[in-house]
Amino acid sequence: MGVSKEEISKTIIELEKSFNERWSVGDNRGYLDAFADEVSYFDPILKNMVVGRDKAIAWIDSIYTNPHIVRSEYLNPQVHVSDEGDFAVLAYNLNTYVLDENGNEKQLRAWNATHGYCLIDNQWRIAHSNWAFSETVTEKIAS
């Protein structure tokens, strides 16, 4: 029968969007509940990677506040699925928007996101999460 990489890709993107939508309205549990036990997590405001579900959750809970995001743009999503269909890597650009003091949309952040998903006990879990600001320097550099 084989693995449907297209179906897996669609599932991963739908999961990611559902986690982001929850995050945007003040519920960070979508992401946190999806973390695998040994998740590795890169946050752009930390120097070092956080390893382990409990540590990643503690870190995110310590800094999370409701961002009141009113709109998100999911740009350039790419999902790479293993031949066995039990591992997938999702990479995409995410633009988030909030309302300014006049009720107009303004961009809050532009992100580069990469997540490694593993199929564990028939559930997709985030094994690796990497969030990076998409614009952090003012000149093009390679290193």
Side-chain angles (χ1 to χ4, degrees):
M1 182 164 149
V3 172
S4 173
K5 291 184 179 186
E6 185 176 318
E7 273 302 309
I8 292 171
S9 295
K10 182 180 173 185
T11 297
I12 295 297
I13 291 170
E14 287 174 1
L15 277 173
E16 188 77 16
K17 285 182 177 181
S18 74
F19 299 155
N20 269 318
E21 294 308 314
R22 287 175 66 181
W23 181 278
S24 296
V25 297
D27 177 8
N28 67 3
R29 299 324 292 180
Y31 273 113
L32 304 186
D33 291 345
F35 283 164
D37 288 340
E38 296 303 318
V39 67
S40 51
Y41 177 81
F42 275 117
D43 190 303
I45 64 173
L46 286 176
K47 182 176 181 178
N48 296 313
M49 178 173 57
V50 177
V51 178
R53 184 175 191 275
D54 292 342
K55 289 179 183 176
I57 288 172
W59 166 249
I60 293 168
D61 278 344
S62 77
I63 62 167
Y64 180 78
T65 58
N66 185 348
H68 302 288
I69 295 169
V70 296
R71 184 168 64 90
S72 297
E73 295 175 327
Y74 303 90
L75 307 171
N76 311 309
Q78 296 292 314
V79 181
H80 303 279
V81 179
S82 69
D83 289 339
E84 295 78 19
D86 60 353
F87 187 79
V89 176
L90 167 65
Y92 65 103
N93 306 105
L94 176 68
N95 293 333
T96 57
Y97 297 87
V98 295
L99 297 179
D100 67 14
E101 59 277 353
N102 298 317
N104 299 311
E105 277 189 9
K106 71 174 185 176
Q107 188 169 8
L108 176 65
R109 300 268 188 278
W111 296 98
N112 294 328
T114 307
H115 296 126
Y117 281 83
C118 286
L119 193 58
I120 301 171
D121 296 328
N122 292 316
Q123 287 190 311
W124 286 105
R125 298 285 185 189
I126 299 171
H128 179 74
S129 180
N130 185 19
W131 289 94
F133 299 122
S134 65
E135 297 181 21
T136 56
V137 295
T138 57
E139 60 186 77
K140 293 182 181 181
I141 56 173
S143 60

